[in-house]
Amino acid sequence: MNGAARTSTRDIARAAVRAELAQVAFELFRREGFENVTVNDLAAAAGVSRSTFLRYFGTKEDAVLDAVDAQGGRIADALRARPAGEDDWTALRHALGTVVEHHRQDPAGALTLSRLIMKTPALCTRSMEKQNGWRPVIAEALAERAAPARPSALGPLVRAAAAVDCLNIAVNHWTASDGTLDLDDLIDEAFAALAPRQVRTTG
């Protein structure tokens, strides 16, 4: 087995362990309450040492929000795949489908996670910190779509931040409805509220 294959196998194994630890943590938080569970509790429930658990997750919050880090990159990749002639706002709306897909695949799990985050201040804060990391990644993808004649550092960042805020507001409303509302419809409504409008002129 060559070095690349060994690295790949090791990465796959590490990802599998990380996913298992995250699932154990999530179930324990859901059952006992986030504030009532310590890192030692998490390690014991997973059958590993405290130091092993902390090698995968530096904090309790990270164990819950592990998947959030990668979402910004997935949105950016989806954005790059959108048609070049599509306006940025429309492209952003379609790119958010990568986040919505998880809610479609496991609505009950997504709803439980959203409730846990919303009712836990530490998780809310950490989630926002992670989403702040999405913005420059998404903005970079937006900037790549821009014509060289109109470079702008500010515009893509503003649009990226607005899109993330639209997503958060929609998810909060979806969670408050116990998942009965359609998340795609809520995101569409949020995006429509900020969509560029044509200015009418009178002749």
Side-chain angles (χ1 to χ4, degrees), residues 65 99-100 103 110-120 123-125 127-128 131 135 163-187 189-190:
L65 301 170
V99 178
V100 178
H103 291 73
L111 184 59
T112 301
L113 177 59
S114 292
R115 286 171 174 159
L116 179 62
I117 293 171
M118 287 180 67
K119 73 179 184 181
T120 310
L123 287 175
C124 284
T125 299
S127 179
M128 292 302 297
Q131 288 184 346
R135 292 169 182 171
V164 173
D165 284 344
C166 284
L167 174 65
N168 284 333
I169 291 169
V171 169
N172 287 346
H173 276 70
W174 177 79
T175 304
S177 78
D178 291 330
T180 59
L181 296 176
D182 185 274
L183 182 55
D184 274 307
D185 288 346
L186 290 170
I187 298 175
E189 185 177 348

Side-chain angles (χ1 to χ4, degrees), residues 12-203:
I12 292 171
R14 181 176 175 80
V17 172
R18 190 179 181 90
E20 179 63 24
L21 291 177
Q23 184 60 37
V24 169
F26 177 68
E27 291 299 331
L28 195 57
F29 290 142
R30 183 180 60 82
R31 189 168 63 249
E32 304 294 338
F34 183 83
E35 302 297 343
N36 298 325
V37 176
T38 67
V39 172
N40 287 340
D41 294 332
L42 295 173
V48 300
S49 67
R50 174 188 171 90
S51 61
T52 295
F53 188 90
L54 290 174
R55 279 203 300 272
Y56 286 90
F57 300 109
T59 67
K60 294 195 304 178
E61 291 82 3
D62 288 341
V64 177
L65 301 170
D66 181 48
V68 175
D69 283 326
Q71 289 178 343
R74 286 197 291 269
I75 294 170
D77 288 343
L79 195 54
R80 291 185 178 97
R82 298 303 304 170
E86 194 171 60
D87 69 88
D88 284 351
W89 199 234
T90 301
L92 277 165
R93 171 61 190 94
H94 286 293
L96 288 182
T98 61
V99 178
V100 178
E101 185 60 31
H102 170 64
H103 291 73
R104 294 194 191 102
Q105 293 177 351
D106 183 15
L111 184 59
T112 301
L113 177 59
S114 292
R115 286 171 174 159
L116 179 62
I117 293 171
M118 287 180 67
K119 73 179 184 181
T120 310
L123 287 175
C124 284
T125 299
R126 187 63 177 141
S127 179
M128 292 302 297
E129 290 173 353
K130 286 177 176 289
Q131 288 184 346
N132 283 339
W134 296 2
R135 292 169 182 171
V137 176
I138 296 171
E140 181 180 353
L142 280 175
E144 292 172 10
R145 293 170 51 84
R150 56 179 184 91
S152 170
L154 185 60
L157 276 170
V158 171
R159 286 189 285 276
V164 173
D165 284 344
C166 284
L167 174 65
N168 284 333
I169 291 169
V171 169
N172 287 346
H173 276 70
W174 177 79
T175 304
S177 78
D178 291 330
T180 59
L181 296 176
D182 185 274
L183 182 55
D184 274 307
D185 288 346
L186 290 170
I187 298 175
D188 285 341
E189 185 177 348
F191 265 67
L194 293 179
R197 288 177 169 82
Q198 296 290 335
V199 178
R200 292 186 178 181
T201 59
T202 56

